[in-house]
Amino acid sequence: MEEARNVKARHPETTPDHASVSGKDTRNTGPGRLLIAVYAVFAISATARAGYQILTKFSDAPLAYLLSAFAAVVYLVATVSLAKAGSTWFKVSLVAVLVELFGVLVVGALSLFDPVAFPHETVWSLFGRGYAFIPLLLPILGLAWLYRRRPGKRLTGAGD
């Protein structure tokens, strides 16, 4: 029994909190699965919305509809990259979520201060008001999750 405790003490990477130290990618487990599911829902809904808008009434608000299509691509890339393991996919996830955050903030501010430029809403208009502000919260949660599950993360003590 004492020997088993000593082995665990010498190899902290065997505990779930230390999974990234051992090289195992844990971004797509636990709460990460819920995050991926939400991104997938947004990828599907933004793609459907943008596709419909572009096909049926593109001339009404081309900027808004193209931004919706861009948001759909960002959500799709984030969904796939969060679900994949490896440091390259981690970097893709990080870029996608940062682009999403930047897009929500910029489009949200522009749509608030220059509503004439956005006669029709995008996914990111008014900081995602049409989607219960989830587009604003999602990249913040995504960045927090990525930070906690970053590759090469070292947990050295209880104060971390």
Side-chain angles (χ1 to χ4, degrees), residues 75-145:
Y75 286 126
L76 181 63
V77 170
T79 302
V80 171
S81 63
L82 284 166
K84 299 280 189 175
S87 62
T88 300
W89 286 110
F90 174 85
K91 291 172 189 172
V92 172
S93 295
L94 185 60
V95 169
V97 174
L98 284 170
V99 166
E100 175 195 7
L101 180 61
F102 181 76
V104 170
L105 293 175
V106 169
V107 172
L110 288 174
S111 62
L112 185 64
F113 296 116
D114 189 10
V116 174
F118 294 90
H120 296 269
E121 286 193 3
T122 73
V123 176
W124 295 338
S125 291
L126 302 171
F127 307 103
R129 182 183 71 178
Y131 290 87
F133 298 102
I134 294 171
L136 180 61
L137 296 174
L138 194 57
I140 295 167
L141 294 173
L143 288 172
W145 181 252

Side-chain angles (χ1 to χ4, degrees), residues 5-153:
R5 213 173 304 147
N6 289 338
V7 169
K8 237 182 185 176
R10 279 183 271 155
H11 301 289
E13 66 271 8
T14 58
T15 63
D17 289 341
H18 295 272
S20 61
V21 173
S22 68
K24 184 179 178 202
D25 193 336
T26 60
R27 286 179 293 121
N28 57 4
T29 60
R33 288 184 182 179
L34 177 61
L35 187 67
I36 293 165
V38 173
Y39 268 105
V41 167
F42 271 80
I44 292 166
S45 65
T47 300
R49 177 181 183 161
Y52 173 78
Q53 290 170 330
I54 289 171
L55 290 173
T56 61
K57 48 189 176 177
F58 183 73
S59 61
D60 291 353
L63 176 62
Y65 299 153
L66 288 175
L67 284 171
S68 286
F70 178 72
V73 170
V74 170
Y75 286 126
L76 181 63
V77 170
T79 302
V80 171
S81 63
L82 284 166
K84 299 280 189 175
S87 62
T88 300
W89 286 110
F90 174 85
K91 291 172 189 172
V92 172
S93 295
L94 185 60
V95 169
V97 174
L98 284 170
V99 166
E100 175 195 7
L101 180 61
F102 181 76
V104 170
L105 293 175
V106 169
V107 172
L110 288 174
S111 62
L112 185 64
F113 296 116
D114 189 10
V116 174
F118 294 90
H120 296 269
E121 286 193 3
T122 73
V123 176
W124 295 338
S125 291
L126 302 171
F127 307 103
R129 182 183 71 178
Y131 290 87
F133 298 102
I134 294 171
L136 180 61
L137 296 174
L138 194 57
I140 295 167
L141 294 173
L143 288 172
W145 181 252
L146 288 169
Y147 179 77
R148 289 185 48 126
R149 301 298 182 180
R150 64 194 181 277
K153 175 180 163 189

